[in-house]
């Protein structure tokens, strides 16, 4: 550390410091203020964007569920512009619409997109479960099993085992299906799902 013997030396040192570093300090202050203002702007901008996305999602959702002619187009346009939770929810809804129309390829496309966007573990598990069901309908049995391996949230285990059992039945793997249905029963399944799993197990025995 440099030592100064007089006040004048201290003043001269400060002067030199500001001459040499003043520009950088000024830029730093501007950047600091800009960062603060930028953060506030970003927060406000994000809030405004999410509010707008919420309103647009509601409009697209109502158009789709209401059977409007442009419902699918509105949903697709909304999904394209919203790589967020609202977009994921819209993709799930559009996928269900496509399933109802028996267009499983389009449903798979929407669910695959949602799968890549979702961050929440429960939401991801829901998407994976629905995607596996669609792949089962398309007879993509190995793909369905791989998708079911992605279901991690504990609340979805029983349903995942139910679908896994259905896939294995279709593959002709009765032993594997029985194990899957049994695992589903052993997990935290709802009463209605337990009854369904027992029925499927009984059918395997016949």
């Amino acid at each position: 550390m440099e030592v100064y013997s007089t006040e004048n030396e201290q003043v001269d040192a400060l002067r030199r410091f500001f001459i040499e570093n003043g520009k950088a300090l000024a830029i730093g202050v501007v950047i600091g203020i800009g960062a603060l203002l930028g953060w506030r702007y970003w927060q406000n901008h994000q809030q405004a964007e999410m509010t707008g996305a919420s309103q647009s999602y509601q409009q697209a959702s109502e158009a789709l569920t209401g059977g409007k002619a442009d419902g699918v187009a509105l949903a697709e346009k909304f999904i394209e512009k919203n790589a967020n939770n609202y977009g994921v929810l819209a993709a799930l809804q559009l996928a269900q619409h496509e399933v109802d129309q028996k267009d499983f390829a389009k449903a798979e496309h929407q669910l695959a997109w949602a799968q890549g966007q979702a961050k929440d573990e429960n939401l991801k598990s829901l998407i994976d479960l629905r995607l596996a069901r669609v792949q089962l309908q398309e007879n993509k049995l190995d793909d369905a099993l791989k998708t079911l391996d992605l279901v991690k949230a504990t609340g979805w285990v029983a349903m995942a085992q139910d679908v896994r059992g259905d896939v294995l039945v279709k593959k002709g793997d009765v032993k594997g299906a029985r194990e899957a249905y049994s695992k589903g029963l052993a997990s935290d399944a709802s009463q209605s799902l337990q009854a369904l799993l027992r029925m499927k197990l009984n059918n395997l025995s016949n």
Side-chain angles (χ1 to χ4, degrees), residues 9-206:
E9 287 180 348
Q10 290 177 333
V11 171
D12 288 340
L14 287 171
R15 186 181 295 113
R16 288 196 306 271
F17 177 81
F18 281 107
I19 290 172
E20 294 169 4
N21 301 290
K23 186 176 181 181
L25 285 172
I27 292 172
V29 170
V30 170
I31 290 174
I33 294 173
L36 178 60
L37 294 175
W39 170 249
R40 289 176 179 170
Y41 169 79
W42 183 83
Q43 282 186 311
N44 292 335
H45 179 67
Q46 286 292 102
Q47 185 175 359
E49 273 197 344
M50 293 309 291
T51 300
S54 175
Q55 293 172 347
S56 297
Y57 167 71
Q58 187 172 355
Q59 292 171 358
S61 175
E62 289 175 354
L64 190 60
T65 56
K68 292 185 178 180
D70 61 345
V72 172
L74 283 173
E76 289 176 338
K77 185 177 180 181
F78 177 82
I79 292 166
E80 183 181 343
K81 293 183 176 181
N82 289 274
N84 51 41
N85 282 340
Y86 287 112
V88 170
L89 292 174
L92 279 169
Q93 189 172 350
L94 182 54
Q96 184 58 56
H97 171 81
E98 302 296 1
V99 167
D100 293 340
Q101 301 298 313
K102 307 297 182 185
D103 195 336
F104 299 111
K106 286 185 178 179
E108 182 179 12
H109 173 75
Q110 293 299 332
L111 291 168
W113 179 87
Q115 187 185 49
Q117 300 298 324
K119 302 295 187 293
D120 178 77
E121 198 65 54
N122 281 297
L123 184 56
K124 288 173 67 176
S125 293
L126 169 62
I127 294 166
D128 292 333
L129 187 64
R130 290 191 177 183
L131 179 57
R133 284 175 176 157
V134 167
Q135 290 168 333
L136 172 59
Q137 291 295 326
E138 294 179 294
N139 209 36
K140 296 180 178 180
L141 305 182
D142 291 333
D143 287 345
L145 291 175
K146 290 177 183 177
T147 300
L148 289 168
D149 288 338
L150 300 175
V151 178
K152 302 298 183 183
T154 55
W156 301 94
V157 171
M159 283 178 278
Q161 291 298 335
D162 175 41
V163 178
R164 183 180 296 277
D166 293 347
V167 174
L168 293 172
V169 166
K170 201 164 186 179
K171 284 175 69 73
D173 185 356
V174 176
K175 180 182 178 182
R178 183 177 288 108
E179 289 177 356
Y181 292 146
S182 297
K183 286 180 181 178
L185 271 174
S187 62
D188 189 19
S190 65
Q191 289 186 348
S192 58
L193 183 54
Q194 286 180 12
L196 178 62
L197 289 167
R198 288 193 184 95
M199 182 185 72
K200 290 181 178 182
L201 277 170
N202 290 335
N203 289 338
L204 289 178
S205 301
N206 296 332

